[in-house]
Amino acid sequence: MSTCTTVSRDLDEPMPGTAATATTWLLLEQPGPWGARALTSSHLDPSLGRALESAAQGTGVRVALIRRPGPHADFGTSPLRQVYAAHTVPGGVWLHGARTDDPGRLLDLDFAALGRGDHRTFGTALGGTPHTGDPLALVCTNGKRDRCCALLGRPLAAELAASGADGVWEVTHLGGHRFSPTVLVLPYGYAYGRAQAHSVKEVLRGAREGRIVVDGCRGSSAWERPAQAAELAVRRATGEYAAEALTVVRTQGEAPRWEVTVAHVDGRHWRVVVARGASLPPRPESCGAAVLGSPARMDVVAVRELRPAVLVG
């Protein structure tokens, strides 16, 4: 029986423009099993999970649970939990970490400030410091959301951890089950699909060097999906892979067609036309889906460098 992942791969479904969107990621270590809605169906107090979901709503912050690769029983584990926050918008990228024995302290965070990229609330609430270690590789392994995430994600996370790769965590949900194994790399916030251990190691190597790997990339979570596809298209067209060299300054239009303006730190600009299409033939968007669907795809129609006089238009 085919899975959503094998069907997507066999149909060569494009991945650019499919990353989850979040200007800031807030990650809480929670050992043990996870349910489909992990914040309220794990060994985390469900009332705390609901409160975190409510606090994050509309702020640009996405809350997820993480755990170390390996067995998932949480009996006898340390009461100290690792917490990370990462802001992904170019020009203000940061990653902070802390440890706490009281996950409820996350409710002391100013979520609106976190979403804007203000890291001070993290230190005030949790006493955290800038993360000076390796970048983080978050591998989606939540089989309760989709079995492909467990069948493909857990072996990938285990292989990476066994190989000595630092910063590897399992995470509850990154979206796009059909692209499993899916990986998010912080602090820059680029997501990857159909990942393999050797490709993730190259992505981590690039992140340590301040460089973005575009092969297998779904896009940056800092941007909405049309802009994700546009930014990746400019990277491919120009060969610019420096992590914070490009930013999205404007997205005009509405579905099914947008014009996205991408800027370089050196002053250059590009206008990218992106059109929303439907992936055909219909296919399972998730192994648990009762009906077939035609997932939206972001097709780049044109990439044009703008002259300075055009920028006022």
Side-chain angles (χ1 to χ4, degrees), residues 5 20 26 53 91 150 152-153 155 158 186 196 217 245 271 298 301 312:
T5 301
L26 180 62
E53 287 180 329
L152 300 174
L186 297 174
Q196 300 180 49
C217 190
R271 187 157 293 161
M298 295 295 158
V301 177
V312 297

Side-chain angles (χ1 to χ4, degrees), residues 31-50:
W34 298 331
R37 296 184 60 86
L39 280 176
T40 54
S41 54
S42 69
H43 290 181
L44 182 70
D45 181 348
S47 63
L48 173 58
R50 285 189 291 270

Side-chain angles (χ1 to χ4, degrees), residues 2 22 25 32 44 82 85 112 114 138 148 163 169 179 203 253-254 256 270 274 278-280:
S2 296
W25 290 82
L44 182 70
Q82 180 67 50
L114 275 182
L138 310 175
C148 287
S163 71
W169 293 85
F179 302 123
V203 171
E254 57 186 28
W270 294 263
V274 180
S279 297
L280 298 173

